[in-house]
């Protein structure tokens, strides 16, 4: 629930967001196409509003009700399920203990051991499945194997895997013994992998021999081997035989195959009872500095938030066929599959590789064969399907598909309507949500089957969450005005710190608007119907196909190239990915040779990964700077996208550089 904005200040809109997007003005409410299931106990939007008001009045009591639907080893003091605040530090369910793995795996294996837990499809057509009992047994044995390798409570395990069955077991094995897992996106470069392992001091790396992406093998074990000499903390590397390569280099005493490790492990680890606010895992996300930051999420707190999110946003039924298309390296997958969906007892699909390879028909084929009723994905995929055309869907039966949920980047109204018409033929509920890696859930969302959607909006705040949109002085803005999105109340899924850098945690998120407001660094508005619209970033992060990338991290890579004097990276619109990087560089006077844009682009790929491949690298003669010397990236973005800079230029050291840059860019177009 947001605060009343009727008497708010009308100034201080984030630069570049002065105009309300046209799609906000033109959007309309679209009711759910089918009645509520009844599982939620909510049937009308008024029911949701009443629940949200009750949660706002006593958030501790509300979240205690949610948590009581899960299994705990010991409870919390009834009088104080929430202590502290955003400003002081907070704890939900203090003193209570439980285990994430028990809630997501064991309790369903006990109730229905033969229920499908995960069905996996490889890009090469290989398929495998695990029941809940098979997932439980593998998880418990691997947890014991990790214990035998010296991994204990509070130690870090790096998981460098694609979407595999073993990824589920590795994550829940860590939860089971109280180790912290850190999934590293399998598309990252060796250096990006090394940076994250060095920061965490991981004892064990879990990887595979190789995976496939767009028909090309990606040798993940070989990637790990390139940097192991830089990683003194790593004692063991566990290798899943994804492809069965015969020539995987294995160092005796350090490297061991996953299947052989399980074969020699005869016992199963018992789940450890962990305090509700104890760290459960780390997820690295990009920020406004070159160094990625490791967000600390609590284990049981994250479980409560993910369960709540899947319950209200997806309304999953036990054994329902469900697919989250995200890569396991991005937090969407733990929220909406590995933890959230399994906590609801769903039967999940996990897919390796690109969803449009070898053709865009792959998405439709997988939905049809798995008989998926609900899919969680990113707007990038829907735009890709729309761009490919309707012919790829021909002959595929999607009649079982009831709900399409999305997160990761702004969703445009035309894409919303395309999905409604072509994926669901008017029967499909579309739920566009909003959240961040820091929030641990998509806290802005429709309630599935109950509340109406607005094409392009993020719905409303789910019960248990409160936000406020403010100007640059921290004053609430009126409805319809763009401002800075802040959260004003703690909830269980909110991250608890930055690994090894508590000062950065407070300075980056709880300083600009005071210690009692979480600063999302997103620009947003609330419309007249109370729907939230997130319209862009106000820091140096861009969304590429729902993956957050730091412009500073990319700029650092470019500045390391011989002959580069300055570098600036901005995000520009892309028809499928939402945004892509566009890099500007200037050449040093003593450069040994003219800068090669193709080589610089490849340098970004090597430093960050293929996801960071820029639209272009533009070698320019100068940069727009403030009087203090700061490059004004907003103006570069305007020049690249519109050919002119319309924003405020009064702070520039030399406004004439804009006409020089405009001329240089026009010669390239």
């Amino acid at each position: 629930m947001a605060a009343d904005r009727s008497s708010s200040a009308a100034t201080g809109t984030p630069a570049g967001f002065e105009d309300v997007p046209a799609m906000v003005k033109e959007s309309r409410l679209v009711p759910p196409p089918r009645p509520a299931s009844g599982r939620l106990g909510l049937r009308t939007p008024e029911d949701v509003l009443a629940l949200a008001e009750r949660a706002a009045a006593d958030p501790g009591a509300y979240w205690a009700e949610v948590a009581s639907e899960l299994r705990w080893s010991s409870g919390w003091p009834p009088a104080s399920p929430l202590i502290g605040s955003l400003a002081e530090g907070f704890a939900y369910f203090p003193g209570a203990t439980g285990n994430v793995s028990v809630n997501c795996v064991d309790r369903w294996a006990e109730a229905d051991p033969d229920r499908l837990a995960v069905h996996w499809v490889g890009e090469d057509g290989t398929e495998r499945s695990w029941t809940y009992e098979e997932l439980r047994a593998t998880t418990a044995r691997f947890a014991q194997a990790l214990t035998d390798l010296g991994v204990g409570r509070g130690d870090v395990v790096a998981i460098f895997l694609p979407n595999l069955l073993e990824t589920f077991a590795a994550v829940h094995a860590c939860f089971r013994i109280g180790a912290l897992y850190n999934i590293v996106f399998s598309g990252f470069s060796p250096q990006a992998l090394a940076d994250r392992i060095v920061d965490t001091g991981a004892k064990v790396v879990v990887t595979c021999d190789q995976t496939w992406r767009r028909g090309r093998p990606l040798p993940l074990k070989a990637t790990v081997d390139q940097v192991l000499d830089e990683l003194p903390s790593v004692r063991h590397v566990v290798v899943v035989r994804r492809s069965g390569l015969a020539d995987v280099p294995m160092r005796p005493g350090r490297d061991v195959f996953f299947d052989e490790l399980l074969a020699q492990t005869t016992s199963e680890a018992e789940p450890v009872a962990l305090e509700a606010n104890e760290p459960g895992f780390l997820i690295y996300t990009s920020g406004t500095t070159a160094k990625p930051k490791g967000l600390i999420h609590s284990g049981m707190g994250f479980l409560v938030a993910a369960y709540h999110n899947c319950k209200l946003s997806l309304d999953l039924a036990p054994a329902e066929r469900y697919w989250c298309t995200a890569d396991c390296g991005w937090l969407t997958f733990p929220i909406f599959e590995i933890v959230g969906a399994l906590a609801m007892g769903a039967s999940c699909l996990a897919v390796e590789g690109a969803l449009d390879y070898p053709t865009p028909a792959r998405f439709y084929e997988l939905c049809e064969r798995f008989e998926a009723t609900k899919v969680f994905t990113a707007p990038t995929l829907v735009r890709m399907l729309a761009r490919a055309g309707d012919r790829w869907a021909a002959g595929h039966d999607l009649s079982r598909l009831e709900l399409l949920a999305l997160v990761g980047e702004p969703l445009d109204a035309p894409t919303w309507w395309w999905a409604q018409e072509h994926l669901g033929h008017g029967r499909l509920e579309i739920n566009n949500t909003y959240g961040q890696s820091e929030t641990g859930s998509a806290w802005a969302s429709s309630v599935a089957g109950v509340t109406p959607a607005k094409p392009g909006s993020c719905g409303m705040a789910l019960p248990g969450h409160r936000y406020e949109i403010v100007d640059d002085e921290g004053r609430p803005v009126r409805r319809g005005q763009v401002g800075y999105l802040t959260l004003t109340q703690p909830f269980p899924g909110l991250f608890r710190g930055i690994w090894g850098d508590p000062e950065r945690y407070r300075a980056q998120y709880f300083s600009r608007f005071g210690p009692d407001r979480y600063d999302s660094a997103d620009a947003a508005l609330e419309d007249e119907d109370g729907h939230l619209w997130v319209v862009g970033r106000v820091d140096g992060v861009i969304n590429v196909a729902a993956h957050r990338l730091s412009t500073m991290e990319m700029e650092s890579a470019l500045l390391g190239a011989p002959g580069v004097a300055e570098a600036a990276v901005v995000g520009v619109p892309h028809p499928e990915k939402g945004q892509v990087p566009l890099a500007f560089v200037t050449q040093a006077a003593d450069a040994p040779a003219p800068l090669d844009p193709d080589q610089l682009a490849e340098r970004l790929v090597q430093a960050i990964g293929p996801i960071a491949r820029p639209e272009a690298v533009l070698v320019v003669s100068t940069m727009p700077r403030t009087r203090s010397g700061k490059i004004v990236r907003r103006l570069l973005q305007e020049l690249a996208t519109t050919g002119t800079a319309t924003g405020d230029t009064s702070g520039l050291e030399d406004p004439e550089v804009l006409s020089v840059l405009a001329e240089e860019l026009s010669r390239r177009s």
Side-chain angles (χ1 to χ4, degrees), residues 29-34 36 40 42-49 312-313 429-431 445-454 459-463 531:
L29 291 169
V30 180
R34 56 179 52 80
L40 302 180
L42 303 167
R43 295 192 176 278
T44 68
E46 291 73 25
D47 291 342
V48 176
L49 181 60
L312 295 185
S313 300
E429 182 173 4
I430 301 175
N431 186 8
S445 165
S446 296
V447 174
V450 181
T451 56
K454 269 195 169 185
M460 303 170 75
L462 291 174
H531 277 242

Side-chain angles (χ1 to χ4, degrees), residues 79-93:
S80 55
L82 166 62
I83 59 174
S85 64
L86 290 176
E88 304 162 355
F90 68 94
Y92 267 97
F93 327 119

Side-chain angles (χ1 to χ4, degrees), residues 432-638:
N432 185 44
T433 72
Y434 167 78
Q436 298 175 310
S437 297
E438 290 88 345
T439 65
S441 67
W443 59 267
S445 165
S446 296
V447 174
V450 181
T451 56
K454 269 195 169 185
S457 90
C458 305
M460 303 170 75
L462 291 174
H465 303 84
R466 288 180 67 84
Y467 70 88
E468 208 164 48
I469 300 172
V470 300
D471 64 16
D472 52 14
E473 298 297 324
R475 299 169 297 193
V477 303
R478 66 177 184 273
R479 279 188 170 180
Q481 180 184 340
V482 178
Y484 301 88
L485 179 60
T486 68
L487 292 167
T488 60
Q489 181 176 282
F491 49 93
L494 189 64
F495 77 131
R496 308 306 176 89
I498 295 175
W499 185 257
D501 201 344
E503 292 182 3
R504 185 181 180 190
Y505 169 71
R506 303 304 308 181
Q508 183 164 339
Y509 296 99
F510 299 96
S511 61
R512 179 170 186 178
F513 300 112
D516 57 349
R517 290 181 185 273
Y518 164 82
D519 178 11
S520 73
D522 276 333
L525 67 86
E526 182 183 297
D527 68 20
E528 295 303 320
D529 293 305
H531 277 242
L532 180 67
W533 299 76
V534 178
V535 295
R537 297 291 294 172
V538 296
D539 67 2
V541 177
I542 62 175
N543 267 321
V544 182
H547 300 159
R548 291 183 66 195
L549 298 179
S550 166
T551 56
M552 290 295 292
E553 193 173 11
M554 289 185 276
E555 289 169 9
S556 295
L558 291 170
L559 289 169
V564 173
E566 298 171 301
V569 176
V570 300
V572 295
H574 187 276
E576 293 178 10
K577 300 178 181 179
Q579 283 185 308
V580 290
L582 177 68
F584 294 81
V585 297
T586 59
Q587 182 165 310
D590 58 351
L595 295 176
D596 184 333
D598 292 337
Q599 289 182 3
L600 292 174
E602 191 60 30
R603 185 181 183 90
L604 282 179
V605 172
Q606 293 299 317
I608 312 297
I611 195 71
R613 186 177 296 280
E615 178 79 4
V617 176
L618 305 177
V619 181
V620 294
S621 62
T622 186
M623 298 276 193
R625 299 180 187 83
T626 64
R627 293 181 180 90
S628 62
K630 180 181 178 181
I631 297 173
V632 186
R633 291 162 178 81
R634 170 179 56 81
L635 295 176
L636 289 173
Q637 187 176 46
E638 290 180 5

Side-chain angles (χ1 to χ4, degrees), residues 156-194:
V156 177
V157 174
I159 300 175
F160 189 54
L161 286 172
N163 294 359
L164 295 174
L165 294 179
E166 289 80 4
T167 308
F168 286 72
V171 165
H172 282 290
C174 292
F175 278 134
R176 196 171 191 84
I177 61 175
L180 281 68
Y181 77 81
N182 172 220
I183 297 183
V184 181
F185 175 49
S186 59
F188 273 151
S189 68
Q191 190 56 54
L193 170 66

